[in-house]
């Protein structure tokens, strides 16, 4: 009997672990990647809408076009422009957040190839708790923003 209970428990645990994580439905629009010449970082700006009924937190991003992607926040403090990394940003239910200069944005570090204005870059936003959301960012010049 004890063996049967353990077998049933392990079977149920296996089913739960095998269940895929369903990503929240986030809507990404107006995704732009501002590039600078050479090996300088690029900056990603976009609008992110959460049509769901629960908050969703983005905890990272990745792309094959850059060695790494960081979440950043720009702000002004004591008359000085400052930028720092953040570990996550949350989008509440029904909320739309704009990721723009002087606010939240993505920093694309160490380009892996030369990008030109008009190119498309596939980016994946990583969500807290698992799951991800794919987006295509259009490469734009720094003067475009």
């Amino acid at each position: 009997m004890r063996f049967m209970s353990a077998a049933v428990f392990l079977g149920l645990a296996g089913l739960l672990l095998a269940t895929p994580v369903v990503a929240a439905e986030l809507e990404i629009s107006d995704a732009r990647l501002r590039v600078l010449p050479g090996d300088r970082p690029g900056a990603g700006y976009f609008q992110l809408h959460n049509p769901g009924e629960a908050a969703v937190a983005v905890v990272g991003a990745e792309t094959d076009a850059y060695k790494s992607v960081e979440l950043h926040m720009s702000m002004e403090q004591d008359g000085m422009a400052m930028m720092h990394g953040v570990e996550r940003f949350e989008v509440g239910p029904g909320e739309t957040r704009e990721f723009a200069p002087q606010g939240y944005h993505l920093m694309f570090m160490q380009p892996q190839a030369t990008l030109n204005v008009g190119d498309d870059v596939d980016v994946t936003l990583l969500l807290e708790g698992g799951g991800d959301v794919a987006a295509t960012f259009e490469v734009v010049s720094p003067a475009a923003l």
Side-chain angles (χ1 to χ4, degrees):
M1 182 75 153
R2 192 180 306 180
F3 174 74
M4 184 68 116
S5 295
V8 169
F9 174 76
L10 289 175
L12 289 174
L15 283 174
L16 289 174
L17 292 175
T19 302
V21 175
V22 177
E25 291 185 30
L26 293 176
E27 298 169 356
I28 300 170
S29 60
D30 200 22
R32 300 155 338 262
L33 170 56
R34 183 179 69 185
V35 295
L36 297 171
D39 287 341
R40 298 177 65 191
Y45 307 112
F46 54 101
Q47 289 186 14
L48 187 59
H49 177 68
N50 177 3
E53 296 180 10
V56 177
V58 177
V59 295
E62 56 191 21
T63 180
D64 291 338
Y66 286 81
K67 187 171 184 174
S68 67
V69 184
E70 300 175 4
L71 309 176
H72 276 225
M73 170 69 169
S74 293
M75 68 184 81
E76 188 173 312
Q77 184 174 348
D78 298 326
M80 301 269 305
M82 303 180 71
M83 178 174 57
H84 63 86
V86 296
E87 300 216 4
R88 67 191 292 278
F89 53 80
E90 189 171 294
V91 184
E95 184 176 71
T96 298
R97 306 262 322 252
E98 183 167 356
F99 296 82
Q102 307 308 317
Y104 285 108
H105 59 278
L106 300 177
M107 288 300 297
F108 293 85
M109 312 301 279
Q110 301 176 348
Q112 299 300 291
T114 301
L115 295 172
N116 297 302
V117 171
D119 288 347
D120 287 334
V121 174
D122 293 326
V123 177
T124 302
L125 299 182
L126 307 174
L127 306 180
E128 189 171 72
D132 57 53
V133 178
T136 300
F137 282 62
E138 179 185 357
V139 175
V140 298
S141 98
L145 299 176

